[in-house]
Amino acid sequence: MDSEDTSRRLFLIKSLTGVSSAWLALRLPEIVAAQEHAHRAMQSAAPVKFEFLSAEQAAEVEAVAAQIIPTDDSPGAREARVIYFIDRALTTFDKDKQSQYVKGLKELQSKQKKMFKNSAKFSDLNSEQQIKVLKAFEKNEFFETVRMHTIVGFFADPSYGGNYDKVGWKLIGFKDDFYFKPPFGYYDREYKEAQ
């Protein structure tokens, strides 16, 4: 593993510490529902319709998420399909963030047009230009919310959607061995040895 992988892994692990456990505990049922929605969306052969975001808004949010967890030699937020998780979050457990997204996207567009006058959309900018806009824009509540949604969607249980193809888990080296074989502990081992 090279140092770039390590630093990206450390960044993502440190980002997870910013998501408080109390916040997660309060919203766990809705987060699971958002994951299930994303999973159903991925299973469907029909084009996926967004529930809150328009297609244009989704492209902009996805471009921001792709800068938060970029694609390099490993998959990023785009490949993990976190946009479906975010859209579902905005109709369920974080419904109160809808106005923040609408306002934040308008402010993002305003900042992007101010910095790159000939550009129409943030998602049309190249990666370097997007990073410049986000650095000038990142100190606000909207960016923090998108960041938190991106990270939660990236590491969501893939059986319910999000974290498509377990890209988030693979990145941090998490193995989904949710069952254990005996002996489970000291006493089981002692019992087994006695037989």
Side-chain angles (χ1 to χ4, degrees):
M1 179 182 317
D2 61 26
S3 61
E4 188 174 317
D5 281 345
T6 304
S7 76
R8 185 174 181 196
R9 185 176 298 179
L10 286 175
F11 166 77
L12 291 172
I13 289 170
K14 286 179 181 177
S15 295
L16 280 175
T17 59
V19 178
S20 93
S21 57
W23 182 91
L24 286 174
L26 286 173
R27 292 173 169 84
L28 191 57
E30 289 103 353
I31 291 172
V32 170
Q35 292 173 340
E36 288 174 357
H37 168 73
H39 180 67
R40 282 192 303 273
M42 294 303 103
Q43 300 295 317
S44 172
V48 179
K49 287 182 73 172
F50 292 102
E51 294 183 0
F52 173 70
L53 297 168
S54 68
E56 289 178 354
Q57 290 171 324
E60 297 296 278
V61 173
E62 186 176 50
V64 173
Q67 289 300 334
I68 293 170
I69 303 178
T71 303
D72 50 21
D73 55 342
S74 59
R78 194 178 307 264
E79 290 75 21
R81 301 179 183 178
V82 298
I83 188 62
Y84 299 106
F85 179 84
I86 292 172
D87 184 60
R88 182 62 177 187
L90 293 172
T91 59
T92 56
F93 65 92
D94 263 349
K95 193 174 185 168
D96 60 323
K97 303 282 193 261
Q98 288 180 350
S99 61
Q100 188 182 81
Y101 265 74
V102 171
K103 183 180 173 200
L105 286 170
K106 284 180 184 172
E107 289 172 0
L108 177 69
Q109 185 180 36
S110 172
K111 179 66 82 177
Q112 157 252 311
K113 284 186 176 181
K114 200 177 282 182
M115 293 177 71
F116 299 97
K117 294 185 180 357
N118 295 329
S119 65
K121 298 185 295 185
F122 175 80
S123 57
D124 288 343
L125 299 175
N126 65 40
S127 181
E128 189 176 303
Q129 292 170 326
Q130 288 180 354
I131 290 171
K132 283 182 182 176
V133 173
L134 290 177
K135 281 185 176 180
F137 186 74
E138 68 185 356
K139 305 279 186 225
N140 63 51
E141 211 173 323
F142 167 68
F143 182 80
E144 283 302 315
T145 303
V146 174
R147 178 180 159 270
M148 187 266 307
H149 282 158
T150 299
I151 293 167
V152 173
F154 191 74
F155 292 107
D157 184 341
S159 66
Y160 299 111
N163 192 10
Y164 182 75
D165 199 24
K166 302 177 186 177
V167 295
W169 290 357
K170 288 176 184 172
L171 185 65
I172 61 172
F174 177 74
K175 295 193 186 279
D176 57 337
D177 295 335
F178 291 118
Y179 66 91
F180 301 97
K181 296 177 185 169
F184 298 109
Y186 173 79
Y187 295 106
D188 292 328
R189 185 175 54 230
E190 188 175 78
Y191 175 76
K192 189 175 179 182
E193 288 172 0
Q195 290 183 348

